[in-house]
Amino acid sequence: MRYDKGRKDASRSRIMEVASHRFRGDGIAASGLASIMSDAGMTNGAFYPHFQSKADLVRESVASALETQSQQLQQALASGGLELAMAMYLSPEHRDHPQTGCASAALLPEIARQPPETRGLYTEKLLTLVHQLAKDLPPHTRDPEGVALGVFAALIGALQLARAVEGTELSDRILAAGADAARALTLPRQKDEAS
């Protein structure tokens, strides 16, 4: 039986939405196609008209999650600048809901083991985020892209550590320390006294 394009697009979107949540919440390796398709309300056979393989689904799901993150970053920067973006990223809510959060913080070790096409697309989407943040840094910033990379590294690392430790007190301290470290990267550098 053939379905119209709108229904096929809706099915594909549903598969990607479920997969994106599953991958970020449970990990790529722990997320089987059968469970993804079941959660999407479809049979396993309905997968292949949309994707050639799980690797294709991973690539497209990660790209979609990063596009959504880019939109959220743009909104946060427009509404409250870097402080709001950092506060939202290192919030207890974001820490406690990896399935709807940052794909980088949830999946970096697994993304590193994906095929070159997936890693290349991830790199492209990450650089989009870096450039967005770099444009919003203070005007005195000497190397905006380098600082933005450092800020992302501090934020992602802090979120990963905060998720890994047991107990919210230490986890909350890690979130606060990560925000302080990221913020420090955006401050003007002190001139080297030897100069």
Side-chain angles (χ1 to χ4, degrees):
M1 181 159 57
R2 297 185 68 78
Y3 294 105
D4 64 36
K5 182 166 172 31
R7 181 170 175 170
K8 186 174 181 182
D9 289 346
S11 295
R12 180 183 176 83
S13 294
R14 178 70 183 140
I15 295 168
M16 284 181 53
E17 176 186 350
V18 169
S20 181
H21 284 227
R22 277 288 193 141
F23 293 154
R24 289 181 281 173
D26 301 333
I28 294 168
S31 300
L33 291 179
S35 62
I36 290 169
M37 294 306 290
S38 176
D39 287 357
M42 298 177 215
T43 65
N44 289 354
F47 175 82
Y48 293 100
H50 301 285
F51 304 96
Q52 291 183 7
S53 65
K54 182 179 178 182
D56 287 343
L57 177 61
V58 168
R59 183 177 54 254
E60 293 193 37
S61 296
V62 168
S64 177
L66 290 173
E67 287 169 10
T68 299
Q69 186 176 356
S70 176
Q71 293 166 0
Q72 292 168 341
L73 175 61
Q74 193 60 47
Q75 290 171 353
L77 291 171
S79 298
L82 184 57
E83 280 299 319
L84 178 61
M86 288 192 301
M88 289 174 62
Y89 191 89
L90 293 179
S91 68
E93 182 179 323
H94 189 201
R95 174 197 59 208
D96 298 343
H97 298 96
Q99 70 278 9
T100 58
C102 175
S104 296
L107 299 172
L108 279 179
E110 290 188 278
I111 290 171
R113 292 186 287 272
Q114 292 300 305
E117 299 83 17
T118 300
R119 292 192 323 270
L121 186 57
Y122 172 81
T123 301
E124 177 186 315
K125 300 297 183 184
L126 174 66
L127 287 174
T128 298
L129 289 165
V130 167
H131 293 140
Q132 278 181 273
L133 184 60
K135 285 191 280 188
D136 211 71
L137 290 172
H140 67 267
T141 305
R142 281 193 232 163
D143 176 13
E145 187 173 302
V147 170
L149 284 167
V151 168
F152 270 110
L155 295 176
I156 291 167
L159 185 60
Q160 288 176 316
L161 282 172
R163 286 178 175 166
V165 300
E166 193 169 332
T168 57
E169 183 181 331
L170 177 57
S171 183
D172 288 344
R173 286 180 55 208
I174 292 168
L175 292 178
D180 289 344
R183 194 175 296 110
L185 292 169
T186 67
L187 298 175
R189 292 183 187 166
Q190 300 298 319
K191 290 191 177 194
D192 190 346
E193 291 181 29
S195 299

